[in-house]
């Protein structure tokens, strides 16, 4: 039988946000991050699970894949895998994965169909290759990219760096399938304690991560840092970076900043350093916005381009994105929904499709619902397990959007599970928690019952696309919840639960063409309340990935204060037995976890 399709597999490997993207004839068939499968936030390690997920969803084997393109920002994948043979690095390849890695056909593969590319090049392809524009420019800004010695694309001779410098910013122009690098900004290596050199490197994304570590004790809390920034006082902290004569200047971090958060068991939110942290957050956010805006204006003025594409972890900063969209002078701005390193898999796949296989662009990523679908039988099976069945009441609805809108209007917190999961860090309406934005206390209800996150962090709205300009300021579309917009003054008292302290909201516009179920739900809620807006936050609790499977959704529903779970067209509520059974299950789960943590490695195994 002749082969029916051409398949390209893209992979982000080993470090945080391991992911895979499978193209079928140049269109995204499936994509997934490892964290959604193994339930470990920002999961690193080997990539077997994400490959298997995509192949099984498509119903093919690895032998059917024509080309595999990979990236690891630490080192090129062949060198990374060679080092892992003799170097114990559990953060990149834990002991329990070493056996399956050694047996996998892609591990240390010498096959011609297996290719490795550099980091910012992959980010760039993830942005322009699936954008709606035939030509334009690309802005890539992240924490750290490839070594200069490993960068594959040509770049201007004036942007010199030593071989051990790392990518920090990259700027490109594109037309059709052709991509040209216009500028590279490097971070030279710096001294540090053991492996903390990244935090001392003079780069935009590196500095933002350093501030995140200083305030939250975690380099990857950049979203929280952005949310904290509006609480800070203006100009109380000296500049942490600024543009001078077109060059980024990052002063040394000094002992002026001597109040870092250290895990000592105390309450973070009651720390005497909080005022200082708020002020520092404001400064690093303001500096970031001003640098990005200066870079974007330079890019427009240099090229005359009307269209801008963005990716890299800094492109998840929706406040800065909003300023770029409104103030940089571009007609259109498109941001890759998986702008962080999970989106590297998309870029790798499209580099293979366009650059290696020499195919044309024909796919536009106008939504990110690229997980595999779960059948009605799988959804029903998740509710039929004994310890679930005795805790829930489930009924099918002949109009689930209408019935859910009524529950929302009655101030119920809804777990909403539909169709295929979103790729990227944002829940965009298929794996979401939904609530009524009309009462300010709903923010606290969500936090206390489900999310258990810091009180300062805002919740985002979804809005009917055709009503967006009525409720929020600005012309720019925001289908991926990656642009913050001011809430119009006349609406702030109508939807207070989604208005941040600075009067803005991280907006997601919803269209019937890309998510008909979510669109109908918003229309039903608008018919009941006159408000075309709902709170939308990710279907998970703090510290856990967004739910992927029906089983994940049911578990989160039963273990939190979510009022109702909408699983396809089934409305699930908690039965009277839930209050009896849940504490017993939780107790035994806690005991099992405690026992597992106190057992020596290998104990209890047959």
């Amino acid at each position: 039988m002749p082969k029916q399709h051409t398949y390209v597999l893209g992979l982000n490997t080993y470090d945080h946000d391991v992911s895979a993207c499978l193209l079928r004839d140049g269109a995204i068939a499936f994509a997934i991050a490892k964290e959604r499968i193994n339930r470990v936030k920002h999961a690193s390690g080997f990539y077997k699970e994400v490959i298997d997920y995509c192949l099984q969803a498509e119903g093919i084997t690895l032998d059917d894949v024509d080309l595999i393109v990979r990236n690891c920002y630490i080192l090129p994948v062949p060198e990374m895998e060679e080092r892992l043979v003799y170097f114990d690095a559990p953060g990149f390849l834990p002991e329990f994965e070493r056996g399956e890695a050694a047996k996998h056909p892609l591990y240390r593969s010498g096959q011609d169909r297996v290719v490795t590319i550099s980091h910012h090049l992959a980010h760039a392809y993830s942005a322009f290759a699936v954008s709606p524009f035939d030509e334009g420019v690309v802005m890539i800004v992240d924490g750290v990219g490839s070594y200069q010695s490993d960068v594959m694309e040509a770049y201007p001779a004036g942007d010199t760096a030593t071989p051990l410098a790392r990518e920090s910013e990259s700027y490109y122009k594109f037309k059709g399938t052709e991509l040209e690098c216009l500028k590279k900004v490097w971070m030279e290596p710096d001294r540090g304690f053991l492996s903390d050199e990244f935090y001392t490197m003079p780069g935009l994304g590196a500095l933002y991560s350093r501030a995140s570590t200083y305030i939250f004790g975690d380099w990857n809390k950049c979203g929280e840092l952005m949310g904290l920034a509006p609480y800070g006082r203006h100009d109380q902290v000296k500049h942490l970076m600024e543009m001078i004569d077109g060059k980024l200047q990052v002063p040394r971090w000094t002992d002026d900043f001597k109040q870092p958060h250290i895990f000592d068991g105390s309450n973070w939110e009651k720390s005497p350093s909080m005022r200082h942290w708020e002020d520092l957050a404001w400064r690093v956010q303001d500096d970031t916005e001003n640098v990005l805006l200066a870079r974007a204006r330079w890019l427009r003025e240099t090229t005359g381009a009307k269209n801008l594409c963005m990716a890299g972890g800094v492109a998840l900063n929706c406040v800065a994105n909003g300023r770029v969209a409104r103030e940089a002078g571009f007609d259109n701005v498109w941001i890759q929904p998986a702008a962080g390193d999970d989106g590297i898999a998309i870029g790798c796949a499209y580099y293979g499709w366009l650059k290696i296989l020499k195919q044309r662009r024909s796919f536009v990523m106008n939504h990110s619902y690229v997980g595999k679908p779960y059948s009605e039988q799988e959804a029903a099976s998740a509710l039929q397990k004994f310890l679930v069945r005795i805790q829930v009441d489930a009924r099918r609805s002949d109009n689930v959007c209408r019935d859910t809108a009524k529950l929302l209007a009655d101030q119920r917190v809804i777990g909403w599970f539909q169709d295929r999961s979103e790729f990227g860090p944002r829940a965009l309406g298929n794996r979401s928690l939904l609530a009524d934005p009309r009462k300010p206390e709903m923010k606290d209800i969500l936090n206390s019952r489900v999310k258990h996150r810091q009180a300062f962090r805002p919740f985002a709205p979804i809005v009917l696309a055709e009503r967006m300009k009525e409720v929020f300021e600005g012309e720019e579309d925001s289908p991926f919840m990656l642009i913050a917009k001011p809430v119009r003054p006349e609406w702030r008292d109508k939807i207070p639960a989604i208005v941040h302290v600075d009067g803005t909201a991280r907006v997601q516009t919803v269209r019937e063409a890309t998510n008909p179920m979510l669109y109908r739900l918003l229309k039903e809620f608008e018919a009941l309340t006159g408000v075309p807006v709902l709170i939308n936050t990710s279907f998970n609790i703090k510290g856990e990935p967004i739910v992927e499977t029906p089983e994940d959704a049911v578990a989160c529903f039963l273990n939190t204060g979510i009022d109702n779970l909408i699983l396809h067209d089934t409305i699930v509520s908690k039965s009277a037995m839930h209050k009896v059974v849940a504490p017993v299950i939780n107790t035994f789960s806690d005991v099992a976890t405690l026992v597992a943590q106190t057992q020596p490695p290998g104990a209890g195994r047959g």
Side-chain angles (χ1 to χ4, degrees):
M1 180 182 293
K3 194 167 181 292
Q4 293 183 317
H5 300 290
T6 300
Y7 290 107
V8 180
L9 182 66
L11 298 172
N12 183 50
T13 66
Y14 291 112
D15 206 5
H16 62 86
D17 299 301
V18 166
S19 58
C21 173
L22 180 68
L23 303 188
R24 179 199 311 119
D25 301 329
I28 298 177
F30 300 98
I32 192 71
K34 184 176 178 179
E35 67 167 27
R36 303 292 183 94
I37 301 170
N38 74 352
R39 313 306 302 154
V40 177
K41 193 76 170 169
H42 299 298
S44 59
F46 196 56
Y47 39 82
K48 180 180 185 296
E49 291 108 319
V50 292
I51 294 175
D52 290 348
Y53 176 101
C54 292
L55 297 180
Q56 290 166 9
E58 181 67 8
I60 62 173
T61 70
L62 194 57
D63 290 338
D64 296 308
V65 177
D66 299 272
L67 182 65
I68 298 105
V69 183
R70 309 174 295 177
N71 173 255
C72 174
Y73 81 86
I74 303 168
L75 290 168
V77 178
E79 185 176 350
M80 185 74 177
E81 294 186 336
E82 179 183 348
R83 299 243 187 140
L84 288 170
V85 169
Y86 57 79
F87 184 67
D88 183 21
F92 306 131
L93 186 62
E95 179 62 32
F96 67 87
E97 290 187 337
R98 281 184 172 272
E100 67 179 10
K103 295 182 290 186
H104 200 277
L106 294 188
Y107 183 68
R108 306 196 70 196
S109 171
Q111 303 174 57
D112 291 340
R113 65 170 181 153
V114 181
V115 177
T116 292
I117 66 172
S118 53
H119 196 67
H120 280 197
L121 187 61
H123 270 313
Y125 271 84
S126 81
F128 91 89
V130 293
S131 77
F133 314 133
D134 182 61
E135 59 182 335
V137 290
V138 184
M139 172 187 285
I140 305 300
V141 186
D142 65 2
V144 59
S146 294
Y147 286 113
Q148 184 273 347
S149 57
D150 298 325
V151 166
M152 294 175 56
E153 73 267 32
Y155 54 85
D159 298 338
T160 56
T162 65
L164 294 184
R166 305 296 293 253
E167 294 174 304
S168 177
E169 306 170 43
S170 297
Y171 301 90
Y172 305 83
K173 66 178 180 180
F174 69 93
K175 185 171 184 179
T177 62
E178 296 302 311
L179 182 72
E180 177 187 350
C181 183
L182 301 174
K183 184 178 183 63
K184 284 275 187 186
V185 179
W186 304 95
M187 297 185 296
E188 291 291 348
D190 202 350
R191 296 172 298 169
F193 296 147
L194 299 177
S195 60
D196 78 338
E197 295 94 338
F198 165 61
Y199 302 107
T200 62
M201 286 182 178
L204 194 159
L207 176 68
Y208 208 93
S209 288
R210 176 163 194 155
S212 173
T213 302
Y214 179 81
I215 295 172
F216 298 103
D218 187 331
W219 72 272
N220 214 359
K221 297 291 185 182
C222 295
E224 285 89 330
L225 183 61
M226 181 181 66
L228 183 64
Y231 291 88
R233 295 170 296 179
H234 294 199
D235 300 315
Q236 296 296 305
V237 174
K238 64 183 181 182
H239 282 289
L240 297 174
M241 61 180 166
E242 54 188 326
M243 295 288 290
I244 300 176
D245 297 329
K247 292 188 176 181
L248 179 65
Q249 303 294 322
V250 184
R252 300 291 298 184
W253 193 273
T254 70
D255 60 7
D256 292 341
F257 309 114
K258 55 188 177 186
Q259 301 176 59
H261 171 56
I262 298 172
F263 295 109
D264 60 1
S266 60
N267 188 318
W268 179 87
E269 293 186 71
K270 294 181 180 179
S271 170
S273 297
M274 182 58 72
R275 180 83 273 188
H276 166 67
W277 292 339
E278 291 170 347
D279 294 342
L280 183 76
W282 179 87
R283 169 53 71 195
V284 72
Q285 176 65 29
D286 189 65
D287 286 350
T288 295
E289 292 172 23
N290 291 329
V291 171
L292 287 175
L293 195 53
R295 294 292 201 204
R297 285 171 172 163
W298 164 83
L299 195 54
R300 178 184 56 79
E301 292 164 4
T302 300
T303 64
K306 296 181 179 180
N307 304 314
L308 171 66
C309 301
M310 299 172 65
V314 176
L316 294 173
N317 191 310
C318 63
V319 179
N321 293 345
R323 288 196 63 190
V324 168
R326 290 186 291 273
E327 301 175 37
F330 291 98
D331 291 353
N332 305 291
V333 175
W334 190 88
I335 307 164
Q336 165 56 242
D341 280 3
D342 47 358
I344 285 290
I346 293 176
C348 286
Y350 276 98
Y351 180 90
W353 179 252
L354 300 176
K355 189 71 174 178
I356 297 177
L357 298 183
K358 306 296 184 184
Q359 299 296 316
R360 63 184 182 88
R361 290 173 57 196
S362 59
F363 175 80
V364 174
M365 193 175 181
N366 55 18
H367 66 78
S368 66
Y369 309 115
V370 292
K372 68 180 181 182
Y374 293 90
S375 67
E376 292 297 332
Q377 182 178 354
E378 288 172 303
S381 176
L383 296 172
Q384 289 303 311
K385 295 179 180 179
F386 174 72
L387 287 177
V388 173
R389 189 171 70 246
I390 61 176
Q391 295 183 73
V392 303
D393 295 316
R395 65 177 180 88
R396 297 289 289 271
S397 170
D398 59 2
N399 190 335
V400 73
C401 293
R402 177 199 61 202
D403 292 342
T404 303
K406 291 177 181 177
L407 292 170
L408 287 162
D410 288 338
Q411 307 300 296
R412 310 281 285 182
V413 176
I414 301 297
W416 181 257
F417 184 103
Q418 302 294 337
D419 203 19
R420 301 170 66 176
S421 61
E422 308 91 332
F423 187 58
R426 309 284 190 239
L428 298 174
N430 281 1
R431 301 291 187 275
S432 290
L433 296 180
L434 304 176
D436 187 342
R438 294 176 298 163
K439 293 186 177 181
E441 58 266 27
M442 184 53 73
K443 177 180 173 182
D444 295 329
I445 290 170
L446 277 167
N447 264 331
S448 62
R449 289 194 198 172
V450 188
K451 301 296 285 189
H452 309 302
R453 63 186 197 177
Q454 303 99 328
F456 70 83
R457 294 176 62 188
F459 287 102
I462 51 174
V463 61
L464 293 168
E466 63 268 26
R467 300 287 300 278
M468 183 266 290
K469 295 177 188 177
E470 174 190 339
V471 183
F472 304 96
E473 297 178 10
E475 298 288 319
E476 61 281 353
D477 195 16
S478 183
F480 302 126
M481 203 187 285
L482 285 172
I483 293 178
K485 295 172 172 285
V487 183
R488 293 193 180 276
E490 63 269 26
W491 274 90
R492 291 178 187 176
D493 290 338
K494 297 178 183 178
I495 49 175
I498 59 88
V499 182
H500 199 23
V501 66
D502 59 356
T504 67
R506 189 178 69 197
V507 178
Q508 178 194 347
T509 49
V510 178
R511 286 180 166 78
E512 187 172 18
T514 51
N515 197 325
M517 281 284 286
L518 192 62
Y519 182 86
R520 289 200 297 272
L521 176 60
L522 278 165
K523 292 290 284 186
E524 292 284 358
F525 187 77
E526 179 191 30
L528 284 175
T529 66
V531 173
V533 177
L534 285 169
I535 297 173
N536 174 24
T537 189
S538 54
F539 196 159
N540 65 328
I541 61 173
K542 182 181 178 182
E544 290 190 357
I546 299 172
V547 301
E548 165 64 21
T549 67
E551 289 82 2
D552 296 337
V554 170
C556 189
F557 168 63
L558 290 176
N559 289 310
T560 64
I562 299 172
D563 294 304
N564 293 95
L565 169 64
I566 312 300
L567 191 56
H568 295 175
D569 62 353
T570 298
I571 299 176
V572 186
S573 56
K574 291 164 184 168
S575 69
M577 282 297 292
H578 172 70
K579 292 182 179 180
V580 177
V581 176
V584 176
I585 294 175
N586 289 338
T587 298
F588 277 102
S589 296
D590 291 343
V591 170
T593 301
L594 181 63
V595 169
Q597 290 174 342
T598 55
Q599 291 267 23
R605 296 178 184 173

